[in-house]
């Protein structure tokens, strides 16, 4: 019996066998962006649903390719206990962060840029340009996420969703003044 660990596929062989921090996840998605042979075949687009493909998953990290059009929108969500990182490899996406009593903080992230976040991060992502492509990494691997909506009385609700479900905006009612402002 060998004490060697099983080999990992190309592009993932150097990953530590432990939970990765935010900056390590960012370095990972930045490295993967420079290796299109690992993800190019999975690129596809649809206005009806975001196209996404799992690139790698083990007990410590989860890596996805997501494809966007301007009509694709995740709705408000979190990543439960996972930290994450996103690298835009083509086009641009918009990240929105909620603010109580104000408009969301909007950031357009263009090709070549990346960002990372901890498990306390709530955001909403939308495609900005046709043909936008992002690489996402999460650690520990996603198991579930929280999807947020504001009900007719202005109360924010969190629904737990499985990591394999496509995130879409839940039915939203405009929030009353002073509550969480929903992105349009």
């Amino acid at each position: 019996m060998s004490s060697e660990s099983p080999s990992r596929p190309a592009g993932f062989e150097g990953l530590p066998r432990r939970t990765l921090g935010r900056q390590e996840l960012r370095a990972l998605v930045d490295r993967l962006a420079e290796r299109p042979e690992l993800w190019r075949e999975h690129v596809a687009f649809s206005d009806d649903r975001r196209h996404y493909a799992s690139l790698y998953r083990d007990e410590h990290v989860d890596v996805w390719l997501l494809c966007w059009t301007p009509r694709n929108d995740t709705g408000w969500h979190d990543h439960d206990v996972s930290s994450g990182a996103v690298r835009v490899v083509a086009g641009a996406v918009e990240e929105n962060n909620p603010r109580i009593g104000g408009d969301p903080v909007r950031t357009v992230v263009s090709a070549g840029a990346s960002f990372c976040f901890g498990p306390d991060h709530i955001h909403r992502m939308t495609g900005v340009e046709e043909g936008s492509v992002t690489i996402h990494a999460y650690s520990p691997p996603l198991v579930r996420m929280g999807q947020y909506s504001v009900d007719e009385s202005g109360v924010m609700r969190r629904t737990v969703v499985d990591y394999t479900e496509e995130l879409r905006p839940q039915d939203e009612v405009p929030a009353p003044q002073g509550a969480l402002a929903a992105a349009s």
Side-chain angles (χ1 to χ4, degrees):
M1 181 192 268
S2 171
S3 63
E4 292 181 27
S5 298
S7 62
R8 293 181 168 164
F12 301 97
E13 59 274 341
L15 288 175
R17 295 187 185 279
R18 60 173 169 73
T19 299
L20 303 178
R22 294 183 305 200
Q23 293 300 329
E24 291 174 300
L25 291 167
R26 188 174 189 177
L28 173 60
V29 295
D30 288 342
R31 277 194 314 273
L32 292 173
E34 304 304 320
R35 304 272 314 267
E37 72 275 10
L38 299 176
W39 50 263
R40 184 182 300 124
E41 71 182 274
H42 301 288
V43 173
F45 301 95
S46 170
D47 286 338
D48 298 327
R49 336 176 29 112
R50 267 179 308 115
H51 174 76
Y52 50 95
S54 175
L55 299 177
Y56 180 78
R57 184 177 176 94
D58 68 17
E59 65 274 15
H60 303 292
V61 69
D62 193 11
V63 181
W64 294 82
L65 178 88
L66 283 78
C67 302
W68 304 82
T69 74
R71 288 152 302 284
N72 299 149
D73 181 347
T74 63
W76 296 106
H77 67 281
D78 65 39
H79 301 92
D80 201 46
V81 299
S82 301
S83 292
V86 176
R87 167 72 182 254
V88 181
V89 295
V93 295
E94 182 176 286
E95 182 193 32
N96 289 272
N97 301 107
R99 279 195 302 186
I100 301 299
D103 290 334
V105 176
R106 296 170 190 234
T107 306
V108 173
V109 185
S110 298
S114 61
F115 64 95
C116 58
F117 50 87
D120 60 340
H121 192 74
I122 299 170
H123 68 174
R124 178 180 204 155
M125 293 186 64
T126 57
V128 171
E129 297 177 12
E130 294 291 341
S132 296
V133 178
T134 55
I135 297 173
H136 301 233
Y138 305 99
S139 188
L142 293 175
V143 175
R144 63 187 167 268
M145 295 177 288
Q147 182 85 52
Y148 294 84
S149 63
V150 178
D151 69 19
E152 61 281 344
S153 70
V155 174
M156 183 190 308
R157 302 287 182 200
R158 181 180 189 268
T159 303
V160 175
V161 296
D162 186 83
Y163 80 98
T164 60
E165 292 181 43
E166 181 186 7
L167 292 175
R168 294 174 176 237
Q170 295 189 347
D171 293 334
E172 292 184 47
V173 175
Q177 189 65 23
L180 174 71
S184 55

